[in-house]
Amino acid sequence: MSSSLNPSGMTPIFTREVLLNAEAAIATTDAEIIDISNGYGKTIGFRTVDRDPLSRDVPPGEEEPRKRLIFRGERALRVTAELNNGIETFFPVICEDVLLCGPNRSEELTRELMVHTIDSFEASDEAKALTDMIKTNLKGSAVDKVILFGPGEVGVEYEEHNWLQSCLEFAAARVIARAAQEVSSAPSVAILAQDFFSSVCKKVLPEFDIEIIECYGAKGFTLVDDNTIAIAHHPSFPFREIIADLARPAVLSMRAQDDPSLTKDLLRTVCDIDSERSREMIKEYREVLLPVSQPTFHENVWYFRK
């Protein structure tokens, strides 16, 4: 990475090395302090109260902190620049304790809700439009996976979480993968999902051919390549910046680009904002809109690599 602190430059902030090293730093220790490298030659220790391994799920009906990776993009880099701090003080990935909820819905009920949602969605106009769009625009491709980033929980129900929306996104991913399989030269098209899933999700989702990416929040991004359909719906992380730095997937589904004047607004609450790097990436794509209402991925635009 460049040693120059230039927030408007095209130098990547995120690299596979930084993401994989951060994952490894958490996974290989049960210490109170997690040492994370920033890719600029510096390492800092992040204190965590969670010293248990990744495999320990939050018990049903409980809330407990779990250590997870948090992403800081160009906006955070601008703050560092305004404070006149050196590039070595900027960390694109940090470790924090995140309060997670254990499941409060049974596996049986979650399974029933998934079946009902899938059946309903597959009969919808949206499903047909997605199928036609994918088959038309990916004919002759080698797409081999669909990755959902931050689709949400289906085994946990609470006031702030729209679990039905999550069910719909999983149902849509199945339709998309099936359509891609019909026109792709790849032997199969997998469906992967990255989020902070409960034990119920980890049990039920694989029954619907959805593979859970077991990680602390970064591994899924390192799996994105030319043959990926990458989807993020209202993410709480800088999705487009991370993708812009790492890969050029066959398809991107995300919120449309902002007005360029908003890119430098440090007070915006939207997490996934455009950067100079993401704007440059989008020049390599063509925008496709569904001809019907899109309640599942509302406000998302479909970008196909040229």
Side-chain angles (χ1 to χ4, degrees):
M1 291 185 178
S2 170
S3 61
S4 170
L5 184 54
N6 180 13
S8 298
M10 299 303 296
T11 303
I13 292 176
F14 302 98
T15 68
R16 282 182 168 78
E17 181 182 13
V18 166
L19 299 189
L20 290 174
N21 285 347
E23 285 276 353
I26 299 181
T28 57
T29 182
D30 59 358
E32 181 182 5
I33 303 297
I34 308 294
D35 292 326
I36 302 289
S37 172
N38 66 353
Y40 301 104
K42 296 293 183 179
T43 299
I44 192 171
F46 294 92
R47 187 179 302 275
T48 174
V49 300
D50 171 27
R51 299 173 67 177
D52 290 311
L54 176 66
S55 59
R56 196 176 84 84
D57 297 311
V58 178
E62 300 293 327
E63 291 186 356
E64 293 183 0
R66 291 290 183 270
K67 55 195 175 195
R68 293 293 184 264
L69 295 174
I70 307 298
F71 301 97
R72 304 169 70 242
E74 186 176 294
R75 179 164 45 180
L77 180 56
R78 290 182 184 280
V79 172
T80 301
E82 291 193 0
L83 293 174
N84 294 317
N85 292 330
I87 188 68
E88 69 276 2
T89 67
F90 178 71
F91 281 76
V93 183
I94 63 175
C95 178
E96 287 185 0
D97 286 310
V98 177
L99 190 63
L100 300 182
C101 298
N104 56 10
R105 178 182 285 138
S106 69
E107 291 179 11
E108 182 180 8
L109 178 56
T110 302
R111 192 175 295 111
E112 290 176 0
L113 292 171
M114 282 289 293
V115 169
H116 174 75
T117 304
I118 288 170
D119 289 344
S120 177
F121 180 81
E122 291 185 351
S124 69
D125 290 340
E126 183 181 5
K128 182 180 184 304
L130 281 171
T131 298
D132 292 343
M133 178 187 69
I134 293 297
K135 291 171 69 173
T136 298
N137 291 281
L138 287 184
K139 187 175 182 179
S141 73
V143 163
D144 59 9
K145 58 186 167 301
V146 178
I147 305 183
L148 291 170
F149 290 94
E153 268 282 350
V154 294
V156 177
E157 181 178 3
Y158 53 94
E159 185 176 354
E160 296 82 6
H161 172 57
N162 186 349
W163 59 267
L164 177 57
Q165 182 66 41
S166 298
C167 288
L168 283 169
E169 292 184 21
F170 290 125
R174 287 167 51 91
V175 168
I176 292 166
R178 190 182 307 132
Q181 182 65 80
E182 291 187 35
V183 295
S184 175
S185 61
S188 63
V189 177
I191 307 170
L192 296 85
Q194 177 174 291
D195 209 331
F196 303 152
F197 292 116
S198 70
S199 57
V200 167
C201 267
K202 293 177 182 179
K203 172 67 175 179
V204 173
L205 290 179
E207 297 176 10
F208 296 92
D209 301 318
I210 299 165
E211 178 183 345
I212 302 296
I213 301 173
E214 291 275 10
C215 67
Y216 293 95
K219 181 181 177 181
F221 293 108
T222 69
L223 302 178
V224 177
D225 58 18
D226 291 352
N227 299 320
T228 302
I229 299 175
I231 303 173
H233 187 219
H234 295 169
S236 59
F237 43 85
F239 172 75
R240 65 193 66 207
E241 285 195 64
I242 300 171
I243 297 298
D245 285 350
L246 298 181
R248 293 295 183 267
V251 184
L252 278 167
S253 179
M254 60 187 185
R255 184 175 46 78
Q257 288 193 94
D258 290 323
D259 183 284
S261 64
L262 297 176
T263 299
K264 297 181 180 181
D265 185 353
L266 300 179
L267 300 179
R268 295 188 68 209
T269 58
V270 177
C271 296
D272 183 31
I273 63 173
D274 287 297
S275 67
E276 298 295 333
R277 299 168 353 269
S278 68
R279 289 186 184 283
E280 193 66 22
M281 172 184 70
I282 290 300
K283 293 178 182 178
E284 302 174 35
Y285 288 78
R286 51 191 172 80
E287 179 181 311
V288 178
L289 299 176
L290 284 187
V292 300
S293 174
Q294 184 180 224
T296 301
F297 296 113
H298 61 278
E299 296 185 351
N300 267 28
V301 172
W302 297 85
Y303 295 98
F304 289 80
R305 195 176 63 236
K306 295 176 182 178

